[in-house]
């Protein structure tokens, strides 16, 4: 921002009295900040957005584009692809009049059992920082504020509101702060979100880390916003926190005003916070006196559905492909068996605050049927049932009494007086506390179910609190439903389900009524339903029969919403009961069995050697079925590489525990996170970090030793460049990810066995040879000297290892770091070229 603008902002702050300043520093509601006409400030709208932009209300009736989840974006290892995803998010934000998107999440996959990993990017700080910076840069190019979260060490969900994470200063700086630092220095995000947890005894909304390094060392000049309800006390006002969300209630308000009036907190501290908020407003076009910077329309470069489809394919990881069974030889395929409940009803996104509602979803079953020639017969069987959340009642089966809408919603006072009535097309209602009609104490949903199938249905509710559920005039539930986990938002983000078996006759209507005493956090209430099903034994036998008579069997397995979601960590790494048995049964019947894994983070695959191929689609968004069909048929290549290590056995996982002891969670592994921990332990995983196959073959032909490095300009400046020559030795155009790792076996300080220092994605035609330059930033060579309180460089020789995964390294060279090299220097970075030897591996 210019000096002129800074002076203008100072003038605006000076126009505000103390009560107005205090008011601005707490949100006006769940998704909005306060407006202030005295300085021409309109309210700013915030929205969750890691995999889509929901908009100011979860229940606004306007669908959102659902992108592949962040692990799928990171699995592309493609900076350009991440930028494209950021542009899609920006377009959605502009379309929905959203000023700030609460994304990306750059916390690390410290342990594979973390329940919210689908919303994070990877287990490596450099990969997370690079992909995160691309997302932020593309969002903010279009005038939409990005929020990098959750600062810092919010890497698991158990006791997330109160856990005290204990770790050393060097580990904090080199591992957990590193992706935040990369993004702040690279693209200047407009917001950083302070996490719920504490670090080394201090809760993050009150932590010194909000000032140093975030502002003092990195130069961050944006808004530090709290995670929702993370602001504990007045102490946060003396720290670097600027905005307490949500609102209008909170720990500041009159308490903060009184503290300033009595001199306990300097008003100048508030002035700084208000100025940060006004600077954000100026950047997103919410300040009347500053011309808006955002375009009216964001051009994403083509059809959104096609881009979502391509992004999902580019993040899909082919783990193995025995006998090159993929892509499918369509000329020899006449019957395909599609098996698995997730093939018909896939999980397109993880559970929790990141959920959006797309206008449509292409299931794997639909996608496969759409691309195969008409002469190919496609059969379907669920094969096994997930003990997960039954879905919403199919809208086609709901009809209102008056014909105005499928569902009638009534807002009632404590005395039963009707305040407002609404008509809805679905049986799902979500309203945050600030969006509930004033005076409403009870909400009631009523509809008429017209079953389309005769049999035993499962009908029920999803919600928490005091709830009554009636079907056909009979009360099936009347009592309290406890949230599934403790913590803020538990009753809104992942409310539990209560289900009842009810025999129904097709087209015989059944009245349903659901009422809830409204919790303080708001309303998350819905009817749930599941159509009649065969018994598990009958269903498994049907899957066996289909597989036996097919040329190819495609079985889709994955996790349920009771396993992977915001708010809780996973109990184990296994697929839900029945899923492994289903894959084994299908593989016994058909040697051409392809397993598709629909999960957001690693799961155990004990049958992986029994099937012909394994694909990981992650939570791939609304076009998952179309993208999977493209990959299966070869219309698109599986472009993904694992952004985290996949274990073969739980007992092999080096960092597993996420459960605090007496409120503390110790990061005892230190620097050795993810693949670094696997390498230190010497145990081979099922699939290493960076692994993934395509439909062609590659050779790392040559490696030019990098120039020696002598002078540091900054942590992001290239210290040196590695040039690799790669050749596509196969018969198809393809993609490869060149990965560069550093090692220092004779180091005088503790280091990982090796660590990622650079990467780039490359595409080549059959037979084409490409020279690829991979920049290695200074950050890759530096280490934090806790005693000196700064960055240092250990002079000497570093091994440079280049390959296609953390375990698949094909060539090694070295690079020398001169004794005179200084960390965080302002000098010129013009190293004298020196060449070392290159070794084959």
């Amino acid at each position: 921002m210019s000096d002129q603008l800074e002076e203008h902002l100072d003038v605006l702050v000076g126009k505000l009295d103390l009560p107005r300043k205090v008011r601005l520093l707490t949100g006006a509601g769940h998704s909005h900040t306060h407006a202030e006409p005295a300085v021409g400030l309109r309210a700013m709208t915030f929205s969750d957005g890691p995999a889509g932009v929901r908009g100011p209300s979860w229940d606004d009736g306007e669908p959102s584009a659902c992108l592949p989840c962040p692990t799928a974006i990171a699995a592309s290892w493609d900076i350009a692809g991440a930028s494209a995803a950021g542009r899609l998010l920006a377009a959605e934000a502009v379309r929905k009049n959203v000023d700030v998107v609460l994304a990306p999440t750059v916390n690390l996959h410290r342990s594979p059992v973390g329940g919210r990993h689908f919303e994070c990017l990877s287990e490596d700080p450099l990969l997370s920082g690079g992909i995160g910076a691309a997302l932020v840069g593309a969002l903010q190019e279009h005038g939409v504020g990005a929020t990098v979260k959750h600062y810092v060490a919010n890497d698991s969900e158990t006791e997330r509101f109160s856990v005290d994470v204990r770790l050393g200063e060097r580990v904090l700086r080199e591992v957990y702060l590193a992706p935040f630092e990369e993004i702040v220095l690279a693209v200047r995000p407009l917001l950083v979100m302070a996490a719920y947890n504490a670090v080394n005894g201090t809760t993050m909304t009150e932590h010194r880390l909000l000032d140093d390094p975030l502002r003092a060392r990195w130069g961050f000049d944006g808004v530090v916003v709290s995670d929702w309800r993370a602001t504990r006390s007045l102490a946060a006002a003396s720290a670097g926190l600027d905005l307490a969300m949500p609102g209008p209630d909170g720990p500041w308000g009159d308490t903060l005003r009184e503290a300033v009036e009595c001199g306990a907190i300097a008003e100048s501290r508030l002035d700084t916070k208000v100025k940060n908020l006004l600077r954000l407003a100026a950047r997103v076009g919410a300040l009347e006196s500053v011309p808006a910077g955002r375009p009216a329309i964001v051009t994403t470069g083509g059809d959104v559905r096609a881009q979502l489809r391509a992004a999902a394919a580019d993040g899909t990881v082919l783990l193995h492909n025995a006998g090159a069974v993929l892509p499918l030889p369509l000329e020899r395929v006449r019957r395909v068996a599609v098996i698995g409940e997730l093939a018909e009803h896939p999980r397109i996104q993880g559970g929790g605050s990141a959920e959006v509602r797309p206008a449509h979803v292409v299931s794997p079953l639909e996608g496969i049927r759409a691309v195969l020639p008409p002469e190919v017969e496609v059969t379907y069987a669920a094969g096994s049932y997930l003990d997960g959340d039954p879905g919403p009642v199919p809208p086609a089966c709901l009809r209102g009494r008056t014909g105005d809408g499928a569902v009638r919603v009534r807002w009632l006072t404590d005395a039963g007086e009707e305040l407002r009535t609404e008509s809805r097309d679905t049986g799902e209602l979500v309203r945050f506390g600030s969006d509930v009609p004033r005076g409403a104490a009870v909400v009631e949903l009523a509809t008429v179910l017209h079953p389309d199938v005769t049999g035993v249905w499962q009908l029920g509710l999803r919600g928490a609190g005091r709830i009554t559920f009636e079907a056909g005039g009979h009360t099936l539930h009347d009592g309290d439903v406890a949230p599934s986990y403790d913590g803020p938002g538990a009753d809104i983000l992942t409310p539990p389900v209560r289900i009842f078996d009810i025999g129904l006759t097709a087209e015989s209507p059944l009245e349903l009524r659901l009422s809830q005493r409204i919790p303080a956090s708001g309303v998350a209430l819905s009817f749930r339903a599941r159509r009649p099903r065969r018994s598990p034994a009958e269903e498994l036998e049907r899957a066996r029969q289909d597989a036996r008579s097919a040329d190819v069997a495609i079985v889709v397995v994955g996790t349920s919403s009771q396993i992977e979601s915001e708010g809780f960590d996973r109990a184990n790494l296994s697929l839900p009961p029945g899923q492994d048995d289903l894959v084994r049964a299908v593989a016994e019947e058909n040697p051409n069995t392809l397993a598709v894994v629909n999960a957001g983070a690693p799961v155990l695959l004990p049958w992986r050697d029994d099937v012909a191929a394994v694909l990981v689609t992650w939570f791939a968004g609304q076009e998952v079925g179309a993208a999977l069909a493209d990959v299966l048929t070869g219309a698109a290549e599986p472009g993904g590489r694992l952004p985290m290590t996949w274990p073969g056995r739980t007992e092999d996982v080096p960092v597993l525990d996420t459960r605090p002891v007496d409120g503390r969670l110790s990061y005892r592994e230190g620097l050795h996170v993810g693949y670094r921990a696997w390498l230190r332990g010497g145990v081979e995983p099922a699939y290493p970090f960076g692994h993934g196959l395509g439909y062609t073959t590659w050779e790392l032909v040559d490696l030019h030793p990098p120039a020696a490095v002598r002078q540091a300009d900054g942590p992001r400046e290239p210290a040196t460049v590695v040039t690799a020559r790669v050749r596509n030795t196969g018969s198809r155009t393809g993609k490869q990810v060149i990965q560069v790792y550093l090692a220092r076996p004779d180091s005088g300080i503790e280091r990982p066995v090796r660590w990622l220092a650079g990467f780039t994605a490359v595409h080549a035609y059959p037979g084409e040879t490409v020279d690829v330059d991979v920049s290695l930033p200074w950050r890759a060579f530096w280490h934090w000297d806790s005693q000196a309180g700064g960055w240092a460089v250990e002079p000497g020789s570093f091994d440079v290892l280049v390959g296609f995964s953390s375990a698949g390294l094909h060539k090694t060279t070295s690079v020398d770091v001169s004794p005179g090299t200084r960390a965080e220097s302002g000098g010129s970075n013009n190293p004298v070229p020196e060449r070392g030897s290159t070794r084959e591996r």
Side-chain angles (χ1 to χ4, degrees):
M1 287 287 174
S2 67
D3 291 342
Q4 186 176 7
L5 177 58
E6 293 298 305
E7 291 171 3
H8 177 62
L9 296 179
D10 288 331
V11 171
L12 295 183
V13 173
K15 291 182 178 181
L16 300 174
D17 59 18
L18 179 59
R20 282 186 168 90
K21 293 175 186 175
V22 169
R23 181 173 175 268
L24 285 176
L25 299 181
T26 295
H30 186 273
S31 305
H32 297 88
T33 60
H34 284 285
E36 182 44 73
V39 293
L41 172 67
R42 67 165 172 81
M44 289 180 281
T45 301
F46 289 25
S47 173
D48 281 299
V53 180
R54 186 173 58 244
S57 171
W58 210 325
D59 192 42
D60 60 3
E62 185 179 345
S64 302
C66 184
L67 281 70
C69 70
T71 46
I73 299 297
S76 72
W77 288 63
D78 190 334
I79 299 300
S83 295
R87 285 192 293 274
L88 283 172
L89 289 172
E92 286 287 281
V94 171
R95 182 172 70 86
K96 292 186 170 239
N97 295 315
V98 166
D99 299 294
V100 172
V101 173
L102 303 175
T105 303
V106 299
N107 301 111
L108 298 183
H109 294 204
R110 172 183 170 265
S111 167
V113 299
R116 200 178 180 181
H117 283 343
F118 56 84
E119 194 177 316
C120 307
L121 294 167
S122 83
E123 69 185 20
D124 182 81
L126 186 135
L127 178 59
S128 293
I131 297 294
L135 287 166
V136 170
L139 265 167
Q140 296 190 167
E141 264 180 34
H142 298 92
V144 178
T147 310
V148 186
K149 61 183 189 179
H150 308 86
Y151 188 87
V152 62
N154 182 187
D155 309 297
S156 52
E157 295 294 281
T158 305
E159 298 180 25
R160 66 173 179 161
F161 191 64
S162 58
V163 63
D164 181 10
V165 174
R166 296 292 173 132
L167 72 172
E169 186 76 8
R170 183 181 173 206
V171 175
L172 178 65
R173 299 280 182 161
E174 291 188 27
V175 179
Y176 296 98
L177 283 172
F180 291 93
E181 181 178 10
E182 167 64 18
I183 295 169
V184 171
L185 295 179
V187 289
R188 296 180 65 197
L190 301 193
L191 301 95
V192 167
M193 181 183 288
Y196 289 125
N197 58 284
V199 170
N200 294 330
T202 305
T203 190
M204 278 310 305
T205 51
E206 301 170 11
H207 212 290
R208 61 176 176 80
L209 292 171
L210 299 180
D211 290 313
D212 185 11
L214 181 59
R215 293 194 188 277
R217 287 179 185 262
W218 304 347
F220 177 70
D221 65 351
V223 166
V224 176
V225 60
S226 73
D227 204 340
W228 267 226
R229 305 199 184 282
T231 310
R232 308 292 206 283
S233 69
L234 192 62
S238 297
L241 186 71
D242 297 314
L243 178 63
M245 289 293 288
D249 301 322
W252 287 359
D254 289 341
T255 305
L256 177 56
R257 177 183 54 77
E258 292 167 2
V260 174
E261 287 175 341
C262 73
I265 295 177
E267 187 169 354
S268 60
R269 188 86 189 187
L270 268 63
D271 291 347
T272 299
K273 298 177 189 298
V274 171
K275 184 177 180 181
N276 290 338
L277 193 68
L278 293 177
R279 189 183 298 111
L280 168 65
R283 288 168 169 169
V284 300
L287 200 56
E288 188 179 278
S289 55
V290 179
R294 72 161 54 184
I297 299 174
V298 178
T299 302
T300 60
D303 178 67
V304 170
R305 289 187 60 182
Q307 291 179 69
L308 295 175
R309 182 173 182 166
D314 200 39
T316 297
V317 181
L318 178 59
L319 294 180
H320 88 250
N321 189 18
V325 66
L326 287 176
L328 292 174
L330 294 182
E331 68 281 1
R332 300 198 301 271
V333 174
R334 289 296 173 266
R335 185 181 174 93
V336 175
V338 179
I339 297 167
E341 195 172 19
L342 290 168
E344 185 179 24
H345 302 292
R347 286 196 74 191
I348 63 169
Q349 57 190 324
S353 60
E355 289 185 35
V356 297
R357 294 179 182 169
H360 74 281
V361 174
V362 180
S363 71
L365 179 60
E366 291 173 313
I368 290 167
R369 281 178 169 161
V371 301
L372 292 179
E375 63 270 18
V376 177
E377 181 183 0
V378 178
T379 64
Y380 169 72
S384 176
Y385 299 128
L386 285 166
D387 292 330
D389 175 12
V393 178
C397 296
L398 293 179
R399 299 171 201 169
R401 293 179 179 178
T402 65
D404 293 337
V407 179
R408 182 192 64 188
V409 178
R410 294 202 305 155
W411 301 94
L412 308 172
T413 67
D414 210 15
E417 299 173 355
E418 185 176 293
L419 290 173
R420 193 163 79 193
T421 300
E422 302 172 10
S423 181
R424 303 182 50 74
D425 294 327
T426 71
E428 297 183 273
L429 178 69
V430 179
R431 293 285 171 84
F432 298 112
S434 56
D435 298 326
V436 171
R438 185 180 297 275
V442 175
V443 64
E444 178 189 274
L445 280 66
T447 188
V448 179
L449 173 69
H450 289 256
D452 54 359
V453 179
T454 298
V456 178
W457 284 62
Q458 290 183 318
L459 296 179
L461 62 100
R462 189 179 189 219
R466 180 76 182 184
I467 296 176
T468 301
F469 174 60
E470 298 176 6
H474 299 285
T475 300
L476 300 181
H477 178 87
D478 186 5
D480 290 329
V481 179
S484 300
Y485 66 92
D486 294 328
D491 50 355
I492 291 284
L493 301 179
T494 54
V497 173
R498 297 291 182 268
I499 291 295
F500 308 90
D501 292 340
I502 303 177
L504 301 177
T505 302
E507 294 308 321
S508 294
L510 181 74
E511 291 192 6
L512 301 178
R513 190 176 73 86
L514 187 57
S515 64
Q516 178 190 44
R517 179 160 290 279
I518 301 170
S521 55
V523 173
L525 195 64
S526 64
F527 294 111
R528 312 306 272 186
R530 182 177 278 142
R531 290 184 173 94
R533 306 188 296 189
R534 288 186 284 263
S535 72
E538 291 172 331
E539 193 60 45
L540 183 59
E541 181 56 31
R542 170 68 182 274
R544 282 184 175 276
Q545 291 174 6
D546 285 359
R548 195 179 305 134
S549 60
D551 298 307
V552 174
I554 302 167
V555 56
V556 184
V557 292
T559 58
S560 69
S561 57
Q562 277 67 42
I563 290 178
E564 275 191 282
S565 177
E566 179 180 350
F568 54 86
D569 291 319
R570 296 158 65 187
N572 55 60
L573 295 174
S574 299
L575 287 168
Q579 299 280 281
D580 291 334
D581 292 339
L582 176 61
V583 179
R584 290 189 182 102
V586 173
E588 286 175 3
E589 303 293 343
N590 193 318
N592 292 325
T593 293
L594 316 178
V596 178
V597 182
N598 180 193
V603 293
L604 300 180
L605 309 176
W607 35 260
R608 62 187 182 277
D609 295 329
D610 301 331
V611 297
V614 181
L615 285 162
V616 180
T617 60
W618 315 103
F619 299 146
Q622 67 185 59
E623 299 297 327
V624 54
L628 176 61
D630 287 343
V631 169
L632 292 171
T633 59
E637 187 177 50
R641 304 295 184 266
L642 290 178
M644 78 293 284
T645 307
W646 276 49
R649 305 184 308 165
T650 300
E651 53 267 36
D652 293 338
V653 178
V655 181
L656 191 64
D657 189 31
T658 62
R659 304 202 172 273
V661 177
D662 297 329
R664 296 181 178 183
L665 181 61
S666 176
Y667 285 15
R668 295 184 183 88
E669 68 282 353
L671 300 170
H672 309 282
V673 179
Y675 65 94
R676 302 177 180 188
W678 285 88
L679 290 169
R680 182 175 67 159
V683 180
E684 186 175 343
Y687 302 103
F689 174 77
H691 169 76
L693 306 174
Y695 290 155
T696 187
T697 54
W698 294 83
E699 179 187 3
L700 187 56
V701 179
D702 197 9
L703 184 64
H704 296 289
V709 292
R710 296 188 180 281
Q711 185 66 50
D713 282 348
R716 296 194 62 258
E717 294 302 313
T720 190
V721 175
V722 173
T723 300
R725 176 165 293 177
V726 292
R727 179 179 298 131
N728 180 347
T729 57
S731 58
R732 293 173 56 101
T733 297
K735 170 187 174 181
Q736 186 55 272
V737 177
I738 312 303
Q739 302 169 39
V740 180
Y741 296 82
L742 292 179
R744 187 71 184 267
D746 59 348
S747 178
I749 61 172
E750 182 188 8
R751 293 185 185 274
V753 174
R754 55 180 167 269
W755 61 96
L756 184 68
F759 64 91
T760 192
V762 59
H763 297 79
Y765 299 111
E768 185 180 8
T769 300
V770 180
D771 286 334
V772 182
D773 290 337
V774 183
S775 294
L776 308 189
W778 269 104
R779 183 190 310 282
F781 295 91
W782 290 0
H783 66 271
W784 181 261
D785 186 334
S786 298
Q787 201 167 23
W791 294 102
V793 179
E794 184 183 25
S797 179
F798 286 74
D799 289 344
V800 180
L801 307 97
V802 184
F804 305 144
S805 78
S806 61
L809 300 167
H810 299 278
K811 291 187 182 293
T812 302
T813 184
S814 62
V815 61
D816 291 329
V817 176
S818 300
T821 300
R822 302 189 309 276
E824 295 189 291
S825 166
S828 171
N829 181 21
N830 292 308
V832 177
E834 294 182 5
R835 297 294 182 183
S837 61
T838 300
R839 305 189 298 276
E840 297 274 354
R841 285 178 66 95

